[in-house]
Amino acid sequence: MDDSLSLPRDPAEIWAARQWQNAMEPSMARFVKDEALRGELLQRVFLEARLAHLPPELVLAVIQVESAFRVDAISSAGAVGLMQIMPFWIRELGLPADDLKDPWRNLRYGTTILAHYLAVERGDFTRALARYNGSLGQTWYPERVMRAWQRHWREPTGAGRATVQR
């Protein structure tokens, strides 16, 4: 079992996660038809975003743009999974046995990488997203993610913010 999922959580955090998940459910239903998978994916996104100190709605927007929520997506450049992780990241962050096709491992890598770039860029989402995509100096990718964030993943008032630190 993943340690991040077994950490004790206080009732306020559990309530915030459930409120956020319920608010995101209708938008997610367009992309992920299977209800059980949808629920687990929302739960995992919330937890991984919390661990990486990222807005979970941003993570959903990145996944939408990168893979349209297809866990088996592989790009022509070789990027893999939900968050389209390049295999070289295994050498940088993980273990040789890590499977980027595993959606939960992929989510951990993606949030870690995005949080790193956000720190490097001192909170500048545009530059961090461009780095994530490998297009630093261009704005087309960050604009796509920000548009998806605003159109599909608006944060419900107060939901989830109790545990996400910036």
Side-chain angles (χ1 to χ4, degrees):
M1 179 177 211
D2 189 330
D3 290 344
S4 67
L5 298 178
S6 64
L7 294 173
R9 299 181 353 194
D10 65 42
E13 183 178 350
I14 292 168
W15 181 85
R18 285 185 183 150
Q19 292 298 312
W20 181 85
Q21 186 171 341
N22 289 339
M24 294 296 115
E25 175 80 20
S27 293
M28 178 68 89
R30 298 175 38 208
F31 298 100
V32 180
K33 303 301 180 199
D34 181 272
E35 187 176 353
L37 177 60
R38 187 169 60 240
E40 187 171 4
L41 182 55
L42 283 168
Q43 180 183 40
R44 295 282 187 138
V45 165
F46 186 86
L47 291 170
E48 293 296 341
R50 185 190 104 230
L51 286 171
H53 306 292
L54 294 170
E57 304 82 16
L58 173 63
V59 175
L60 290 172
V62 168
I63 295 170
Q64 178 187 339
V65 169
E66 288 289 345
S67 68
F69 294 90
R70 288 186 2 258
V71 297
D72 61 348
I74 299 176
S75 77
S76 59
V80 177
L82 287 171
M83 296 192 75
Q84 291 292 277
I85 308 304
M86 291 298 288
F88 75 82
W89 280 107
I90 292 173
R91 287 189 314 275
E92 300 294 323
L93 296 176
L95 303 169
D98 282 348
D99 181 4
L100 294 176
K101 293 177 186 172
D102 175 296
W104 314 138
R105 181 61 49 200
N106 191 280
L107 194 55
R108 173 67 55 90
Y109 271 79
T111 55
T112 300
I113 294 162
L114 185 55
H116 167 72
Y117 286 144
L118 195 56
V120 166
E121 294 299 343
R122 300 177 187 204
D124 184 325
F125 284 108
T126 299
R127 290 184 58 84
L129 287 166
R131 280 188 183 275
Y132 185 87
N133 176 256
S135 60
L136 187 60
Q138 300 176 28
T139 61
W140 63 269
Y141 177 80
E143 288 170 1
R144 260 184 90 189
V145 172
M146 298 303 256
R147 219 173 12 257
W149 189 0
Q150 288 301 311
R151 288 184 182 162
H152 303 288
W153 310 110
R154 290 179 190 246
E155 175 189 349
T157 306
R161 284 297 137 221
T163 58
V164 176
Q165 304 166 359
R166 293 187 194 166

